Amino acid sequence: MTKPGQGAEGDAVAAPPVAITTAATAAAAPQAAASSAAPVIAPGADAESYEQQHVHSVYESIASHFSATRYKPWPVIASFLLSLPPGAVGLDVGCGNGKYLAVNPHVHIVGSDRSANLVRIARDHGGDRRCDVAVADGLALPFPPGKADFAICVAVIHHMSTRQRRQEAVRALLECVRPDSGGGKILVYVWALEQSNSRRGWDEGADQDQLVPWVFKSKTKTAGGGGGDTTYQRYYHLYRKGELEEDVVAVGGKVLDSGYDKDNWWAVASRIN
Amino acid sequence: MKVLSLNFLSCAVKGCKSSSDSYPLHPKDAELVQDDIEVNAQLLINLLPRIDWTALTTTATELGFPALPPQAPTPEELEADEAKLKDLHHLLMETQIMEGKLVCASCGHEYAVREGIANFLLPSHLV
Ligand SMILES: [Zn+2]
């Protein structure tokens, strides 16, 4: 089993994490220091249990808070969805709070997410039981091969902690859609390493495997101030330029279009056969 | 979970993907609700070519609906026949599985459906 930070492709071994003790420290420190290189995980633990701790359980805990800050569809994704032929049926793998499920009323989307709490929020996006969603793992999707017209996967695959798993996730998406000849396509969005203009300040040469804090602000303050805030550490793999396209090609995909959009790399791809 | 979506779901177990028995999943002890949704004729007509009619026939029968015709209507037939359109709308869009299970006929695994949400996370021995 490959460990995060020791990927088959020779991912850099991450430095020990910077301890973040309180939310106040995180806020006061320079923003770039708020995240820390992802630690090498303990021997015996595997990628799955690492992601359970640093991805799945975090989203389960922060679901409502996370959802409240993620309501606006990103323009590139909205325009992809609006460009689909009417009647198209597709998937939103890692649908989160469901903000993309109802962007285009002329297509039908089945959403899935690893977090049951987020899925419950997504189900009622735009009205009670309006959206169809399921709880599923990105590497064990409940979709028949080659049936969907499209699949989107936004801000999901960068949470997988080895390159092999990230490539398998792309392969799983490609398997769900019709082959290129049938017009099937996927849209994948991942966080970029190159984001020198963002408040986090990562750029080329930085460690690609990072733990990024999510501060859950508690409304009740203790006498000492700050009080009940909880900081969760989410694992991210930051994609360098070209890496997403490499991963698509590595699993038999064909990149139809790709680009950079506000600290993210994205690619539209199809399945060659 | 609308009946329409059942037409696009299969077993999550890798070894089942190549088996025709893993699709469609079979509802068991299903509790249905009927939502009142406005008919979107154009959406239905556009969806029709994407529907696996054989799988839908199986699902409809298992949910206790009257048997569907052996062949899917053509978009033209659907457009011209309001009753047919309404029936299909009722089945695909308005009928939701709220509680129960979805069963894979290949591996026998039962996926729970609660409050309209199916859970496809696999126990470790099936991953
Ligand atoms: Zn199965």
Side-chain angles (χ1 to χ4, degrees):
Chain A
M1 186 67 71
T2 316
K3 311 284 193 296
Q6 306 174 326
E9 302 296 320
D11 295 341
V13 172
V18 178
I20 294 175
T21 46
T22 65
T25 317
Q31 291 295 351
S35 347
S36 49
V40 178
I41 60 172
D46 60 14
E48 249 173 83
S49 58
Y50 181 83
E51 290 163 22
Q52 179 61 41
Q53 181 190 353
H54 283 294
V55 181
H56 309 320
S57 72
V58 176
Y59 279 107
E60 207 64 341
S61 303
I62 69 174
S64 59
H65 185 210
F66 175 84
S67 175
T69 62
R70 300 284 189 286
Y71 52 87
K72 228 182 135 184
W74 293 346
V76 172
I77 300 160
S79 74
F80 173 87
L81 292 171
L82 291 168
S83 75
L84 296 162
V89 178
L91 316 169
D92 183 352
V93 173
C95 65
N97 64 0
K99 68 176 172 176
Y100 294 111
L101 298 176
V103 166
N104 183 348
H106 305 294
V107 305
H108 182 72
I109 301 182
V110 182
S112 73
D113 202 282
R114 189 66 174 64
S115 163
N117 287 342
L118 281 172
V119 164
R120 215 166 296 128
I121 295 170
R123 176 193 56 193
D124 299 327
H125 182 87
D128 283 354
R129 305 198 283 264
R130 166 146 178 207
C131 296
D132 273 7
V133 282
V135 181
D137 190 284
L139 295 179
L141 292 172
F143 306 119
K147 261 201 155 57
D149 293 299
F150 66 94
I152 65 170
C153 186
V154 180
V156 172
I157 298 180
H158 55 212
H159 285 311
M160 308 226 171
S161 58
T162 69
R163 190 164 200 188
Q164 191 195 347
R165 288 168 68 78
R166 292 188 289 274
Q167 291 182 344
E168 284 307 313
V170 176
R171 187 200 306 276
L173 290 171
L174 286 169
E175 272 172 9
C176 294
V177 298
R178 298 173 192 281
D180 187 51
S181 55
K185 54 189 172 180
I186 65 170
L187 168 64
V188 181
Y189 249 75
V190 289
W191 228 4
L193 177 64
E194 301 84 353
Q195 41 175 305
S196 54
N197 294 326
S198 87
R199 62 190 177 86
R200 295 187 172 82
W202 295 308
D203 208 346
E204 237 175 291
D207 200 305
Q208 284 185 262
D209 296 283
Q210 297 279 341
L211 286 175
V212 180
W214 178 280
V215 181
F216 199 111
K217 295 233 184 279
S218 167
K219 287 194 180 85
T220 53
K221 299 278 177 188
T222 57
D229 292 356
T230 312
T231 301
Y232 296 95
Q233 299 287 355
R234 284 175 302 166
Y235 168 84
Y236 278 91
H237 176 79
L238 305 172
Y239 280 69
R240 57 174 167 72
K241 184 177 199 237
E243 188 176 353
L244 178 58
E245 291 91 331
E246 287 168 22
D247 284 357
V248 167
V249 171
V251 294
K254 177 168 102 176
V255 178
L256 303 173
D257 198 3
S258 62
Y260 180 86
D261 176 40
K262 288 197 191 97
D263 307 329
N264 289 275
W265 294 110
W266 61 268
V268 175
S270 65
R271 183 156 67 87
I272 292 168
N273 47 38
Chain B
M1 168 80 45
K2 297 176 176 68
V3 169
L4 170 60
S5 293
L6 263 189
N7 210 251
F8 293 89
L9 286 169
S10 72
C11 184
V13 175
K14 260 200 181 67
C16 285
K17 294 281 180 192
S18 56
S19 161
S20 59
D21 286 341
S22 67
Y23 172 87
L25 296 170
H26 304 283
K28 185 180 164 189
D29 307 329
E31 290 173 29
L32 306 182
V33 291
Q34 313 289 349
D35 284 333
D36 201 8
I37 297 172
E38 208 181 322
V39 180
N40 182 340
Q42 208 50 53
L43 178 61
L44 276 176
I45 289 161
N46 288 325
L47 278 171
L48 193 60
R50 275 116 175 151
I51 303 287
D52 185 315
W53 194 259
T54 310
L56 181 65
T57 304
T58 303
T59 305
T61 308
E62 290 174 351
L63 291 176
F65 281 78
L68 297 181
Q71 297 289 323
T74 64
E76 294 73 27
E77 280 166 2
L78 201 56
E79 201 158 12
D81 188 337
E82 201 178 332
K84 217 175 243 174
L85 193 79
K86 274 204 166 129
D87 283 350
L88 196 58
H89 169 76
H90 180 65
L91 174 64
L92 290 175
M93 302 295 195
E94 294 190 318
T95 305
Q96 297 223 26
I97 299 185
M98 289 306 286
E99 302 288 331
K101 295 178 182 98
L102 297 173
V103 185
C104 170
S106 166
C107 68
H109 190 63
E110 301 187 344
Y111 298 96
V113 181
R114 290 197 192 98
E115 297 176 26
I117 297 169
N119 188 332
F120 288 97
L121 296 183
L122 297 168
S124 53
H125 71 276
L126 286 177
V127 174

